[in-house]
Amino acid sequence: VFLLGSLVFVVYNLINSFEMTFPNATYPPLLRQLTLQKDLFPIVLSPWNPTRLSPNMAKLWFTSNANDQKYEVATDIEWVKRYGGLTANGGAKYLTNQTWIETRGRQGNCTGVLQVFNWIMKQVIEKNGLLMLAYGELIHIHREKDFVDKQGKFFDDDIDLWASPGTVAHVATLEQQLNSKFGWTMRCFVHDDKVVLVQIFASCEHTVSSRAGKSKSSQPGIELYPMYTIPRQGNETQYDVIKDIWQGNQYLEQSIFPVKKVTLKSRGMEEPLDLQIPHHPFQLMECLYGNWKVPSKKHASIGKVC
């Protein structure tokens, strides 16, 4: 048993520490250099946790042609522990230039958010990535069984998603395709030159701003909250915890993993949506919102350990 356990441990660490570097020839023009850890997260009930950083892991970063600036997705666990959330001393950084956003916005006819979300999920799932429902959307899929009401009106003003570091970096490479296919773009909130939140939104009816706030456009937006595993050593629990660095909330690892796959037939689109949700969603919603079964304007807790 000891030898088997040791073998499993060794294999697990070998897989989690595996890194890949995309050849320059495959980069979209927007992102000239990207090095990232491979997301090893088969979608259905897999034990792998792609929010766990590997020792001596190569940096995750990308460079935007909008401002020729390098942006890093954090791989320093000590920085992750220190960052308190909800602050972006670097402001909001767009991954395409203002002229394109304004020109495309005037053309109108930007694609609906569920179609864009569905496309992004397919790209992430194809790479075995982690991008799961969070906060308001986690409630709506369980309480209303949809993102929209019977009239097709959205319950929320955006789609909240938890993402592994590798998925954050991967989604950044999709920006030009979002531009050309759907008329959408994205921006990152940056703190200490590290990405702490990603917003994806339609160019239509959007006003460019470097202020770190809600993105407003013709469609509800999509927000990615980077998540990291904080090892049990040195934290306030006796377990590994998963930290949403923007909100500052921490969750027991067993509440999140293994992630579950669900398929939603939404009133908002014809094609079913393949989605990811935490392993114990009810436990998380009760911790963050209390009685989540009753509609309320209450926002999720901040800086809480669930």
Side-chain angles (χ1 to χ4, degrees):
V1 173
F2 174 78
L3 290 175
L4 179 61
S6 299
L7 178 61
V8 170
F9 178 79
V10 170
V11 172
Y12 173 82
N13 280 283
L14 284 172
I15 293 176
N16 265 333
S17 63
F18 179 76
E19 295 174 0
M20 68 177 183
T21 303
F22 292 129
N24 286 329
T26 66
Y27 292 160
L30 178 68
L31 303 174
R32 295 194 298 274
Q33 187 167 355
L34 173 67
T35 304
L36 56 86
Q37 180 186 25
K38 187 176 182 181
D39 256 341
L40 295 163
F41 197 90
I43 302 305
V44 183
L45 298 179
S46 165
W48 308 124
N49 173 1
T51 70
R52 189 183 300 277
L53 299 178
S54 303
N56 302 315
M57 177 179 169
K59 286 187 176 182
L60 293 166
W61 59 273
F62 54 88
T63 303
S64 168
N65 278 343
N67 52 18
D68 201 31
Q69 177 69 42
K70 179 190 295 184
Y71 300 118
E72 179 184 349
V73 181
T75 55
D76 179 355
I77 195 63
E78 295 304 319
W79 184 90
V80 170
K81 290 179 182 178
R82 292 193 304 269
Y83 175 60
L86 298 179
T87 56
N89 56 21
K93 305 296 186 181
Y94 288 81
L95 299 190
T96 196
N97 66 71
Q98 179 175 345
T99 300
W100 184 94
I101 296 172
E102 293 173 345
T103 301
R104 179 61 185 85
R106 286 192 293 269
Q107 294 174 5
N109 198 32
C110 293
T111 305
V113 62
L114 288 185
Q115 286 73 23
V116 175
F117 176 40
N118 187 40
W119 181 82
I120 292 173
M121 283 303 307
K122 288 182 177 180
Q123 311 311 306
V124 171
I125 289 172
E126 182 180 340
K127 297 291 185 181
N128 292 329
L130 175 68
L131 189 60
M132 61 183 160
L133 296 182
Y135 302 118
E137 281 51 60
L138 196 57
I139 288 180
H140 296 311
I141 197 175
H142 287 95
R143 189 176 65 203
E144 287 88 12
K145 315 298 183 187
D146 207 337
F147 299 129
V148 299
D149 62 19
K150 293 180 180 179
Q151 287 72 45
K153 181 180 179 181
F154 284 86
F155 294 115
D156 212 338
D157 58 359
D158 56 24
I159 295 176
D160 300 319
L161 302 167
W162 285 317
S164 65
T167 292
V168 172
H170 173 215
V171 170
T173 70
L174 304 177
E175 204 271 347
Q176 280 202 330
Q177 292 185 69
L178 288 167
N179 289 348
S180 60
K181 291 177 180 290
F182 309 113
W184 282 55
T185 186
M186 67 176 70
R187 64 183 188 178
C188 302
F189 289 8
V190 176
H191 191 83
D192 296 346
D193 294 324
K194 296 176 177 61
V195 175
V196 293
L197 184 75
V198 175
Q199 294 180 327
I200 306 171
F201 48 89
S203 299
C204 302
E205 300 179 27
H206 177 73
T207 300
V208 174
S209 171
S210 61
R211 184 179 66 86
K214 282 282 186 182
S215 63
K216 297 181 179 180
S217 68
S218 61
Q219 292 285 323
I222 299 170
E223 293 193 335
L224 273 57
Y225 297 78
M227 296 188 81
Y228 293 83
T229 296
I230 307 295
R232 64 174 63 91
Q233 294 84 359
N235 69 47
E236 57 267 44
T237 76
Q238 296 182 10
Y239 304 94
D240 290 353
V241 295
I242 312 299
K243 181 179 180 181
D244 168 351
I245 62 171
W246 178 251
Q247 292 285 108
N249 293 320
Q250 298 185 44
Y251 313 101
L252 295 182
E253 185 177 24
Q254 55 265 40
S255 297
I256 303 292
F257 297 103
V259 166
K260 298 178 181 177
K261 173 183 175 181
V262 297
T263 299
L264 173 68
K265 184 65 178 74
S266 173
R267 302 182 188 96
M269 61 181 296
E270 294 183 3
E271 185 178 353
L273 284 161
D274 289 329
L275 306 171
Q276 299 172 6
I277 62 172
H279 193 69
H280 291 294
F282 302 115
Q283 183 182 80
L284 293 175
M285 291 186 290
E286 288 171 5
C287 177
L288 292 168
Y289 295 95
N291 186 4
W292 59 272
K293 296 179 182 179
V294 178
S296 168
K297 294 183 178 180
K298 180 181 177 181
H299 293 285
S301 300
I302 295 171
K304 191 165 186 177
V305 177
C306 293

